[in-house]
DNA sequence: GTATATTACTTGACTAAAGCAAATATAATT
DNA sequence: AATTATATTTGCTTTAGTCAAGTAATATAC
């Protein structure tokens, strides 16, 4: 794996570099997402479809542990996606407060379509790099994930 | 600098890793921003203040080359920030279509406050890492910037 | 040099996104 | 059995963002 060089930076410099990255990267990803979701689904809707697909069976509360939306707002979005026949909602037998949410066939197709669009948009931002640089990039992202989130 | 290892991945895997990063990282940064801007300024407003400070003197058009907002919306936000005495707007002498935008003293103070909050929020996500890992992290972000944007 | 097009910005009217608080239903706790 | 907590929904409001038309100044084309 990528080996760290051991030049210790001061905290200010570290934070500055991260923030600089955030400004460029988060902005460019944001613009890409906006463009590519144009215009069938909102970003939030597509995130919900992604999560439901990822978890196969889920609930509003589960989704909201990740997305942290307003509960009423989430409830309405789910309702909307059900009305478009992308999701189903079924009351749990063992706990009737809970409603299990799943993708329909149509929902799965739509989510796969969104997935492809999202992959395409990433492809476009790495297209100018050769294979070796692209692989390095993936390793860099991966290493950041490890540092930030695996503990 | 960080040395690439030369294992070439296939494109699918590369894109998968980048998207995985995006989901975690962009989401966590988004949540942080939301929390910390609570609640004096919107994210867009604070971005505008950041840009005006960065560029010292700018225009709506310049800002929008970066933020790509609706022009009418931007116009209104600027108006709002002027009404809060954070910005000034002055018609250019050489081209009277153009209005030069600057931070006021108060605007500068507010932007510095936001800047501090933003730095604090980054500090909080790297706090669990030792100095060496923090430096590595900054280098990783920096290297990504180079790969993606410098060409 | 005047008509036409373009640029920079603004305004009005609107839709979409998101937040807040109260309400309903069920389950868990005391 | 009464109280508290969880999961979701609804009504109402605010904030964010879009669209199209409009004004003013400048640049370009004939």
């Amino acid at each position: 794996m990528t080996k760290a060089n051991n030049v210790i930076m001061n905290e200010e410099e570290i934070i500055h570099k991260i923030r600089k990255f955030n400004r460029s990267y988060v902005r460019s990803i944001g613009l890409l997402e906006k463009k590519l979701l144009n215009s069938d689904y909102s970003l939030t809707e597509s995130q919900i479809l992604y999560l439901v697909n990822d978890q196969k069976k889920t609930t509003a509360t589960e989704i909201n542990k990740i997305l942290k939306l307003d509960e009423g707002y989430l409830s309405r979005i789910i309702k909307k996606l059900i009305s478009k026949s992308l999701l189903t909602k079924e009351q749990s037998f063992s706990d009737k407060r809970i409603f299990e949410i799943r993708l329909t066939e149509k929902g799965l197709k739509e989510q796969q379509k969104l997935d492809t669009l999202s992959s395409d948009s990433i492809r476009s931002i790495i297209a100018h790099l050769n294979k070796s640089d692209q692989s390095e990039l993936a390793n860099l992202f991966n290493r950041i994930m490890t540092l930030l989130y695996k503990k």
Side-chain angles (χ1 to χ4, degrees), chain A residues 9-11 24 41 43 65 82 110 112 115 121 148:
Chain A
M9 285 180 237
N10 67 47
E11 195 179 51
S24 300
Y41 306 103
L43 177 54
K65 279 180 189 156
I82 290 169
E110 287 301 278
Q112 286 169 343
D115 221 64
S121 78
L148 286 182

Side-chain angles (χ1 to χ4, degrees), chain A residues 11-61:
Chain A
E11 195 179 51
E12 195 183 2
E13 195 180 352
I14 291 165
I15 290 175
H16 175 263
K17 282 197 188 329
I18 296 176
R19 289 188 58 200
K20 190 173 167 192
F21 170 85
N22 287 352
R23 283 193 300 275
S24 300
Y25 189 76
V26 176
R27 183 182 296 145
S28 67
I29 294 299
L31 290 177
L32 272 181
E33 281 174 342
K34 219 178 197 175
K35 205 171 293 175
L36 278 173
L37 293 173
N38 240 354
S39 54
D40 289 341
Y41 306 103
S42 74
L43 177 54
T44 303
E45 285 166 351
S46 84
Q47 289 181 126
I48 290 168
L49 292 174
Y50 177 89
L51 287 174
V52 179
N53 184 43
D54 194 49
Q55 307 178 7
K56 299 307 169 203
K57 183 187 84 178
T58 190
T59 67
T61 301

Side-chain angles (χ1 to χ4, degrees), chain A residues 4-150:
Chain A
N5 69 5
N6 249 353
V7 180
I8 302 293
M9 285 180 237
N10 67 47
E11 195 179 51
E12 195 183 2
E13 195 180 352
I14 291 165
I15 290 175
H16 175 263
K17 282 197 188 329
I18 296 176
R19 289 188 58 200
K20 190 173 167 192
F21 170 85
N22 287 352
R23 283 193 300 275
S24 300
Y25 189 76
V26 176
R27 183 182 296 145
S28 67
I29 294 299
L31 290 177
L32 272 181
E33 281 174 342
K34 219 178 197 175
K35 205 171 293 175
L36 278 173
L37 293 173
N38 240 354
S39 54
D40 289 341
Y41 306 103
S42 74
L43 177 54
T44 303
E45 285 166 351
S46 84
Q47 289 181 126
I48 290 168
L49 292 174
Y50 177 89
L51 287 174
V52 179
N53 184 43
D54 194 49
Q55 307 178 7
K56 299 307 169 203
K57 183 187 84 178
T58 190
T59 67
T61 301
E62 282 305 308
I63 290 171
N64 232 8
K65 279 180 189 156
I66 295 167
L67 297 186
K68 310 243 167 68
L69 306 168
D70 175 81
E71 289 170 357
Y73 181 43
L74 176 56
S75 173
R76 269 181 260 260
I77 294 178
I78 289 170
K79 197 165 148 192
K80 181 178 166 195
L81 293 174
I82 290 169
S83 81
K84 287 187 167 186
S85 309
L86 303 177
L87 296 180
T88 57
K89 195 178 74 175
E90 193 183 358
Q91 192 166 34
S92 165
F93 185 71
S94 57
D95 182 345
K96 288 183 176 161
R97 291 170 304 182
I98 290 175
F99 291 83
E100 294 166 350
I101 293 165
R102 290 181 179 75
L103 284 180
T104 62
E105 273 298 315
K106 185 180 169 197
L108 178 60
K109 268 188 200 146
E110 287 301 278
Q111 140 49 223
Q112 286 169 343
K113 219 160 70 183
L114 290 170
D115 221 64
T116 301
L117 286 177
S118 176
S119 287
D120 289 348
S121 78
I122 298 304
R123 206 185 324 277
S124 77
I125 66 170
I126 65 172
H128 69 289
L129 297 173
N130 63 39
K131 291 281 167 203
S132 166
D133 284 353
Q134 289 186 358
S135 296
E136 186 193 348
L137 193 63
N139 282 324
L140 293 165
F141 279 120
N142 205 45
R143 176 73 181 137
I144 290 173
M145 290 290 282
T146 303
L147 286 172
L148 286 182
Y149 303 118
K150 311 250 166 70

